[in-house]
Amino acid sequence: MAYGLRPVGVGYGGLSGYNNGGFVEVPISTDAAVDIYTGDFLEYVNDASGAGSAGVVRQANDATGETPTTGTANTMGVAVGFRYVDSSGTPKWSQFYDQSASNTDAFAFVCADPSQIYLIQADSALTIEDIGKNAPVDGFAVNEGSSVTGLSGIQLDGGDVDTTAADALRIVGIPDNGSNRGSANPDILVRINTGVLFSDQGTGIV
């Protein structure tokens, strides 16, 4: 089952479990038109005209469902939780953001460390020869995710693994636990390849 991007620690001997490296709390855009799930990319918006308020986040995607690239989204990081006040005035802390125009005081908890390593499920088999390559993800076109688990439905797009610089993810490893590397849907270690907080991405946000 897909779970989006899961921040993990990687040390001697393998994975050290869930580790978001600390997170920041960022307001959710008033233009957030869809639910947002833990494990989704979040796009940083620094534009008050037509994009909510300046300095906010929203789900990062594009019309094709392939996401995000340096040219189409300012990816800040990955959602690891949410808090907001719903239409009845009840404070909510949740694994997913239940979008409503009536919500107030809505914030996302964002894993924004540009060096963070994540675990993500691939939608097809990969091999160790794919380590070091880039890949987009799929699953945004239909806003995949579960309101029960709160987890994102995005997966690494194994069919489009390539050297394309604008792809969302850099493959940095494939955990070997005896069965994962040979799986049809292996878990893959990645870094965000196009994060806006990287210092080598050229021009800053307008």
Side-chain angles (χ1 to χ4, degrees), residues 5 8 38 54 64 74-76 96 103 110 122 129 132 141 156 158-159 163 177 188 191 197 202-203:
L5 288 152
V8 294
T38 290
T64 67
N74 297 312
T75 305
M76 182 179 190
F96 85 106
N103 292 341
V110 186
E129 285 78 15
L156 184 146
T163 58
N177 62 5
I188 307 296
R191 280 198 173 102
L197 297 184
T203 305

Side-chain angles (χ1 to χ4, degrees), residues 13 33 85 179:
V85 177
S179 61

Side-chain angles (χ1 to χ4, degrees), residues 9-83:
V10 178
Y12 182 76
L15 301 180
S16 61
Y18 189 94
N19 177 14
N20 62 32
F23 59 81
V24 293
E25 185 179 83
V26 186
I28 295 172
S29 170
T30 56
D31 283 355
V34 296
D35 296 340
I36 313 173
Y37 301 90
T38 290
D40 275 350
F41 287 100
L42 289 178
E43 175 185 8
Y44 185 79
V45 182
N46 195 11
D47 181 2
S49 59
S53 303
V56 296
V57 291
R58 60 188 176 195
Q59 188 193 61
N61 59 17
D62 65 30
T64 67
E66 303 294 335
T67 158
T69 68
T70 51
T72 61
N74 297 312
T75 305
M76 182 179 190
V78 171
V80 295
F82 309 90
R83 73 174 178 89

Side-chain angles (χ1 to χ4, degrees), residues 110-137:
V110 186
C111 181
D113 182 352
S115 65
Q116 177 67 51
I117 292 177
Y118 299 90
L119 202 65
I120 186 172
Q121 186 181 69
D123 64 5
S124 60
L126 274 73
T127 69
I128 58 173
E129 285 78 15
D130 293 313
I131 295 173
K133 295 181 180 178
N134 296 335
V137 301

Side-chain angles (χ1 to χ4, degrees), residues 92-104:
K92 299 282 188 178
W93 285 262
S94 179
Q95 287 283 93
F96 85 106
Y97 178 63
D98 191 2
Q99 191 279 331
S100 169
S102 300
N103 292 341
T104 59

